[in-house]
Amino acid sequence: MNIGEFKNVGGRLLGSIATRTIDLPRLGLRQVESTNERAPVFEILALNVGNRWVQIGALWEAVAKNTTGEAFLQGTIDDPSLSEPLPIALFGSDEEGFRVAWRRPQPRDAFAPLNRGAPRREDEGAGAGGFGDSTAGEGGALGTGAELDDEIPF
């Protein structure tokens, strides 16, 4: 759902966001200059009641996971006056302007299968921080070692 827009006005990206309960009529995007690859691309600024610009969020570059591979900006707006952060995504460009989209986060399904992925390191095993090799034989049968009926000396 589109909830706002930013346009290039005199070399500045200015815009607004409005929903049924949120009205942010004067927003700006300030470019972040950083060599840190984790730094945001823009800070989101709002004009407060004292007529001062204050930071209320940030935007990072992202790429759509669908087949289009479209680049966009994503981040959140947060302020003590909001009941919770507002996740947003901006589609467009600095020259043409941006459309601001919002999507309600989907709750996690507690009964969905877990995908824990492969082990992070191939060398995990005995002595390398893992649990070691399995003692189970083929088909899950008890592997080598003492049988249940064998007497184990202490």
Side-chain angles (χ1 to χ4, degrees), residues 84-127:
E84 60 185 290
L86 177 67
I88 59 172
L90 277 65
F91 298 90
S93 68
D94 295 1
E95 299 81 30
E96 299 171 8
F98 293 97
R99 295 175 324 281
V100 181
W102 169 81
R103 184 176 59 145
R104 183 179 307 279
Q106 296 297 315
R108 187 174 76 88
D109 183 357
F111 292 97
L114 293 176
N115 182 4
R116 299 203 189 267
R120 289 179 294 180
R121 298 182 340 204
E122 291 179 11
D123 63 338
E124 284 193 34

Side-chain angles (χ1 to χ4, degrees), residues 11 14-15 82 87 106 114 144-145:
L14 301 175
L82 299 175
Q106 296 297 315
L114 293 176
T144 60

Side-chain angles (χ1 to χ4, degrees), residues 45-68:
L45 306 173
L47 201 58
N48 71 7
V49 295
N51 211 28
R52 293 187 317 173
W53 290 100
V54 295
Q55 183 180 352
I56 62 166
L59 297 167
W60 286 263
E61 286 182 320
V63 177
K65 293 180 182 176
N66 60 17
T67 58
T68 66

